[in-house]
């Protein structure tokens, strides 16, 4: 974080908004561009929050983003049924080049994962699976590298191969719980998937992808 951005954050958190406005008005255009660029870079690459990556994925796929952690990530009007809506669940994933550099330099023991069209559902349950199937939502799977959007893939949640992948994991989790005194409040910590679980789905659409020339730059 550069010194200017550090000062902006401190004023925003401890001072008045009028103080921040005066401070920003005193800065040059180039300084303001630098502060905003650094802030966006830091935010979009944040390991602990995918909010902005989720937002980008949802709006570029043609949906309206829904704020809040409860419920689905976005919705749009159903073209063929006036008043109806289509909901979406976004699964963005960001890969950091610096992790590959650390691995090559021996500063990291395990090789970092590459983009594979993957994602996961945290704290997943059979009840959640049933609800998702009934809502007939669309999945939005996106990949970023160092905050740069690489692709957005859309497909129906009810794609047979995709649902099968989730059901298999939930069943294994259920089998492990057999003999347990209670299953109340218990859930599968993470139900994961990758491109192999949806690539043959009907109605799959590529909503965004870099040109082949740009993709080749990120091939490693």
């Amino acid at each position: 974080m550069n010194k200017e951005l550090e000062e902006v954050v401190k004023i925003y958190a401890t001072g008045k908004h009028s103080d921040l406005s005066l401070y920003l008005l005193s800065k040059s255009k180039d300084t303001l561009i630098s502060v905003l660029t650094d802030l966006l870079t830091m935010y979009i690459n944040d390991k602990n929050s995918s909010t902005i990556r989720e937002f980008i994925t949802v709006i570029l796929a043609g949906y309206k983003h829904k704020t809040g952690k409860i419920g689905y990530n976005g919705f749009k009007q159903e073209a063929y049924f006036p008043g109806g809506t289509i909901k979406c669940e976004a699964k963005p994933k960001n890969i950091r080049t610096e992790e590959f550099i650390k691995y090559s330099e021996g500063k990291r023991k395990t090789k970092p994962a590459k983009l594979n069209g993957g994602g996961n559902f945290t704290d997943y349950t059979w009840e959640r699976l049933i609800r998702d199937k009934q809502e007939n939502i669309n999945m939005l799977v996106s990949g970023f590298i160092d905050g740069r959007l690489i692709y957005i893939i859309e497909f129906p949640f009810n794609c047979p191969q995709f649902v099968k992948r989730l059901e298999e994991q939930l069943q294994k989790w259920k089998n492990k719980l057999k003999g347990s005194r209670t299953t109340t409040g218990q859930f599968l910590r993470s139900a994961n998937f990758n491109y192999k679980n949806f690539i043959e789905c009907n109605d799959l659409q590529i909503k965004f992808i870099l040109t082949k020339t740009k993709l080749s730059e990120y091939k490693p």
Side-chain angles (χ1 to χ4, degrees), residues 16-17 45 75-76 87 110 136 172 183 194-195 201:
K16 299 177 181 178
H17 284 189
N45 284 296
F75 63 92
K76 65 180 179 180
K87 300 172 184 176
T110 57
N136 198 30
K172 287 182 180 179
T183 60
N194 61 43
Y195 79 96
C201 290

Side-chain angles (χ1 to χ4, degrees), residues 115-156:
L115 288 178
N116 64 352
N120 72 286
F121 295 86
T122 56
D123 303 343
Y124 211 57
T125 63
W126 281 106
E127 289 75 19
R128 171 76 186 278
L129 175 62
I130 293 170
R131 188 193 74 182
D132 290 342
K133 289 169 66 176
Q134 291 175 339
E135 291 286 351
N136 198 30
I137 63 175
N138 283 335
M139 294 296 301
L140 298 175
V141 178
S142 59
F144 294 75
I145 296 178
D146 298 327
R148 176 67 184 273
L149 179 61
I150 308 299
Y151 59 77
I152 301 175
I153 305 170
E154 180 179 25
F155 61 90

